[in-house]
Amino acid sequence: MLELVSEHGCFGGVQRFYRHASTTIGLPMRFSVYLPPAAMAGVGTPRPALFYLAGLTCTEETFMIKAGAQRLAAQLGLILIAPDTSPRDTGIEGEAQEWDFGAGAGFYLDATQAPWSTYWRMESYVARELFDLAVQEIRIDPRRVGIFGHSMGGHGALVLAQRHRERFRSVSAFAPIAAASQCPWGEKAFSRYLGEDRGTWQAYDASALMRAQPCVPFDGSILIDQGLSDKFLADQLNPEAFEAACAQAGQALTLRRHPGYDHGYYFIASFIEDHLRHHAAQLQG
């Protein structure tokens, strides 16, 4: 059962924040939804939707507050859905001591190592439970759903889109962690969530997944934007690895590199329109 935490009129539609008891996580989870005017007018009529996965330290509020996406989503008739980035208040010792691990750093995977495996099941939560909940309660059209994200969430979008191709028809990312098994953030998270066997990490590495695809996973192009003044670019993000993997797989990719842009939401707000139009074009029909 959904609990409406707050509701705000926004560009003719409504911005809502929800809480619910997650059966996958085993704890309350929060997520946000923007309903465009078309969804308000056509009550009960399924609409296309985009799932947005936020980055490290972010919550279900970050994208809705900072990205400036609602104005164009209202015009395009897109529902926007943003989950929190991890379980919260689990009682696990040390869960909130590090900004890049634990609370706010779920990495959109299902952990296999104790104690994290009890609650850290963000892949199943997003791609299964929240997706199904949105179909039932928010009335999204399950045949017209895209996914995108930023940084850790960009990693999540690229990974979940490939692992759940039957659910996500379009994908894009802002400054994604494009080869998580090969960077300090990913190594730290994967070793604790998944264990020391690096072979198991490949299942959550966007570039490794793309290299292993038996056929082109997406009919349309994948869109990635990357700022060249991003302080995390050299050590953490590795867009060139995903670029090479797409070339090997024959997957169409538009990877745009932007001088002067960093890793933050000023960068995201600058190119959010391109991403919404990218998804809207692929989700038509």
Side-chain angles (χ1 to χ4, degrees):
M1 182 176 179
L2 293 181
E3 176 189 351
L4 182 62
V5 176
S6 65
E7 180 176 278
H8 316 272
C10 188
F11 296 108
V14 63
Q15 177 65 57
R16 291 176 177 167
F17 296 91
Y18 289 104
R19 179 170 47 224
H20 73 117
S22 168
T23 57
T24 299
I25 303 297
L27 291 168
M29 290 293 289
R30 292 174 175 261
F31 66 97
S32 57
V33 175
Y34 176 67
L35 295 174
M40 304 296 291
V43 176
T45 302
R47 299 293 310 170
L50 295 181
F51 279 75
Y52 177 86
L53 307 183
L56 292 166
T57 76
C58 294
T59 71
E60 75 285 354
E61 295 181 317
T62 310
F63 172 76
M64 299 301 186
I65 293 172
K66 293 185 175 183
Q70 291 94 335
R71 181 191 296 272
L72 186 58
Q75 297 175 19
L76 296 175
L78 294 171
I79 294 174
L80 304 176
I81 301 170
D84 199 355
T85 51
S86 79
R88 307 276 177 175
D89 302 318
T90 66
I92 294 176
E93 183 178 358
E95 70 171 76
Q97 290 183 352
E98 301 170 85
W99 71 272
D100 56 355
F101 180 79
F107 273 84
Y108 305 101
L109 52 74
D110 286 353
T112 59
Q113 303 298 300
W116 311 103
S117 55
T118 304
Y119 302 112
W120 261 253
R121 298 178 50 78
M122 289 300 293
E123 176 186 17
S124 291
Y125 174 69
V126 173
R128 299 296 183 193
E129 184 177 8
L130 186 57
F131 189 104
D132 291 343
L133 186 66
V135 171
Q136 296 163 10
E137 302 292 339
I138 311 299
R139 299 294 294 165
I140 70 170
D141 183 346
R143 301 164 301 174
R144 294 189 291 164
V145 180
I147 189 168
F148 67 144
H150 168 233
S151 192
M152 177 187 72
H155 142 80
L158 295 176
V159 167
L160 296 190
Q162 293 184 75
R163 287 174 59 85
H164 301 273
R165 290 165 52 189
E166 77 284 358
R167 299 216 148 187
F168 301 111
R169 279 186 52 192
S170 59
V171 59
S172 71
F174 297 95
I177 303 172
S181 68
Q182 303 174 41
C183 73
W185 280 338
E187 290 173 340
K188 180 177 184 177
F190 286 5
S191 63
R192 299 188 196 182
Y193 290 144
L194 302 175
E196 296 295 339
D197 180 0
R198 286 176 173 260
T200 66
W201 299 5
Q202 304 306 297
Y204 290 107
D205 181 307
S207 297
L209 283 171
M210 184 59 71
R211 289 195 301 270
Q213 291 290 346
C215 59
V216 177
F218 297 99
D219 293 335
S221 177
I222 296 172
L223 173 62
I224 293 178
D225 280 307
Q226 174 63 59
L228 293 182
S229 293
D230 188 327
K231 65 181 180 180
F232 301 116
L233 176 56
D235 296 331
Q236 302 282 11
L237 304 182
N238 299 313
E240 65 283 350
F242 191 72
E243 186 175 38
C246 285
Q248 177 181 317
Q251 172 63 57
L253 170 69
T254 301
L255 172 55
R256 307 189 302 185
R257 297 172 169 89
H258 304 279
Y261 287 90
D262 61 20
H263 198 68
Y265 269 81
Y266 297 116
F267 160 61
I268 294 173
S270 298
F271 300 103
I272 189 66
E273 177 175 348
D274 294 345
H275 284 249
L276 295 188
R277 292 192 184 281
H278 164 83
H279 288 277
Q282 294 193 25
L283 297 178
Q284 286 178 351

